[in-house]
Amino acid sequence: MSPATAAEPKKRSLAPWQNAVSGATAGVISRFVIAPLDVIKIRFQLQTEELRLSRIRGGEVPAQVKYRGLAQSFTRIIREEGLRGLWKGNLSAEYLYLGYGAAQFYAYPEYERLLNRTTQYLNFKLPTEIVASLAGALAGCTATVATYPFDLLRTRFAVQGQHGPYSGLVDAIRQIAGKEGLPGFYRGVWPSMLQMMPQTGIVFASFSFFKKHLDGLKAGGMKDFISGGLAGMVGKAAVMPFDVVRKRLQVQGPERNSYVVGDVPRYPKGFLRCCRQIARYEGILALYKGLLPSLLKSGPSAAVTFLVVGACQKAFAAVDGVERQ
């Protein structure tokens, strides 16, 4: 934001609820766009075959591997589960993205203001990218805790077959609560926190960096779109092992052998112990399973998110005569 000068009155910022509505709108739209890639990514991440660099280079995939590549996975899911299979878990995921987007974009400017006030009080100034990174990390942590049960539900729905253990959202909540208790809704929450704090921080810092260097681009909202897409891919690549571990832990529980990816091994709760078990039996590269669909998902998702958030904030600013943050 441009500082107010002595000659002009200080402009009001957008209200927190307006930032929340902007984030929620962006979350719902971006989720629908990237849902099929998310389903495929999760299924890649939960397959337990060994992954070696020589196999990737040579294009060799063991015959027993169910999902082998993007095109083959799309085709197989549609053939076995119908077109709707590509949007499995989308209802819980829409709740997740709506809540996560609202919480994230509500919290981000509040943390940003708090950090700026704190550094001003202590009489030093942090670079814009550092403030964006710290505020983004704190906002990501807040949003993750607030919406984590929907993330777990999204994962379980994404990997259940035609006759999976859960008949719907209400049934899933009832079964998990009855069989696993409240902790069942938070399986894998610590790897998720370890992932989302740096990832969100990196995304917001990268977005700020790319947007600043695209100031010469005269393309309106495309600056938000391009900066968001690049930032999303950078952030996801940086924390991919956390995402794989999180998915493995989310499908633990009494129904872990009821999913379309086959029998899911039992994993220890700790992040490092789970990493060691995956690396030991599947190779270190297994911690990057699903990277390609994840990058293809994260780029458009972040691009659409920042584009829609920017458009919503501009609309609110135009109506209220306030300054966009």
Side-chain angles (χ1 to χ4, degrees), residues 22 50 53 118 195 201 222 228 243 250 267 300 313:
S22 300
E50 185 181 1
L53 189 59
T118 301
Q195 172 194 347
M222 286 305 294
D243 197 36
Q250 284 178 334
Y267 293 104
Q313 289 178 336

Side-chain angles (χ1 to χ4, degrees), residues 1-5 8-16 18-19 22 109 112-113 309-310 312-325:
M1 286 184 284
S2 302
T5 65
E8 61 182 19
K10 185 178 180 181
K11 296 179 180 178
R12 292 183 297 111
S13 299
L14 290 176
Q18 292 173 319
N19 288 316
S22 300
E112 189 179 41
R113 277 194 287 270
V309 165
C312 289
Q313 289 178 336
K314 285 178 183 176
F316 279 129
V319 170
D320 293 350
V322 303
E323 185 178 14
R324 179 189 167 192
Q325 294 166 311

Side-chain angles (χ1 to χ4, degrees), residues 54-161:
S54 59
R55 211 175 254 166
I56 296 173
R57 285 174 176 168
E60 294 179 40
V61 182
Q64 71 271 21
V65 176
K66 188 169 185 178
Y67 302 106
R68 301 163 171 243
L70 285 176
Q72 182 267 351
S73 299
F74 269 110
T75 303
R76 181 157 194 168
I77 291 172
I78 292 171
R79 185 177 68 247
E80 294 180 350
E81 306 168 44
L83 191 61
R84 293 178 62 183
L86 294 170
W87 273 268
K88 275 194 171 172
N90 196 53
L91 180 59
S92 53
E94 288 288 9
Y95 289 138
L96 165 65
Y97 275 61
L98 186 151
Y100 190 93
Q104 182 183 49
F105 283 93
Y106 178 96
Y108 176 78
E110 301 303 309
Y111 284 128
E112 189 179 41
R113 277 194 287 270
L114 177 62
L115 287 168
N116 284 328
R117 283 201 299 267
T118 301
T119 54
Q120 186 177 18
Y121 177 78
L122 297 174
N123 200 29
F124 72 93
K125 183 173 177 60
L126 288 172
T128 303
E129 286 79 9
I130 299 297
V131 173
S133 178
L134 291 173
L138 292 168
C141 182
T142 301
T144 297
V145 172
T147 61
Y148 190 79
F150 287 116
D151 189 18
L152 181 134
L153 288 164
R154 178 270 303 259
T155 297
R156 294 196 180 187
F157 278 121
V159 290
Q160 74 170 14

Side-chain angles (χ1 to χ4, degrees), residues 19 49 59-60 65 76 114 151 168 202 210 246 255 259 270 284 298 307 325:
N19 288 316
E49 84 284 353
E60 294 179 40
V65 176
R76 181 157 194 168
L114 177 62
D151 189 18
I202 290 168
F210 288 127
R246 176 171 59 131
E255 308 296 342
Y259 300 113
I284 193 70
S298 299
L307 178 65
Q325 294 166 311

